[in-house]
């Protein structure tokens, strides 16, 4: 009920007048760019090195594969705690 009364009061208010026009901003002069000197006729840059001047990477010798010795037969194992071991899809 209160919302309807508030809406009716808003509709009965006089229409707002048009806003005054915005003031115009004077245009500023465009900056002039400094003249860029031309490159010397020789190019100015040294030539790129040829592909033969680049040293090649040294070859790294391959290391022989090392295998660990087998564990001794009396080596203790870590006991599992029942109830804390994760159950896989086959368990």
């Amino acid at each position: 009920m209160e919302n309807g009364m508030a809406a009716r009061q808003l509709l009965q208010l006089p229409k707002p007048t048009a806003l005054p026009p915005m003031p115009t901003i004077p245009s500023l002069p465009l900056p002039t760019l400094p003249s860029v000197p031309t490159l010397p006729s020789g190019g100015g840059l040294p030539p790129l090195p040829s592909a033969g001047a680049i040293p090649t990477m040294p070859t790294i010798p391959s290391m022989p594969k090392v295998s660990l010795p087998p564990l001794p037969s009396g080596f203790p194992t870590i006991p599992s705690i029942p109830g804390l071991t994760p159950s896989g899809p086959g368990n």
Side-chain angles (χ1 to χ4, degrees), residues 1-88:
M1 187 78 178
E2 292 177 9
N3 289 340
M5 303 245 337
R8 183 177 294 166
Q9 288 177 355
L10 285 175
L11 288 174
Q12 291 176 353
L13 289 176
K15 302 260 183 200
T17 59
L19 294 175
M22 296 294 290
T24 57
I25 300 173
S27 60
L28 297 174
L30 295 175
T32 57
L33 297 175
S35 61
V36 179
T38 58
L39 293 176
S41 61
L45 297 175
L48 293 174
S50 64
I54 300 173
T56 58
M57 292 292 291
T59 57
I60 299 173
S62 60
M63 298 292 293
K65 291 187 176 182
V66 178
S67 60
L68 296 174
L71 292 174
S73 60
F75 194 76
T77 59
I78 300 173
S80 61
I81 301 172
L84 294 180
T85 56
S87 59

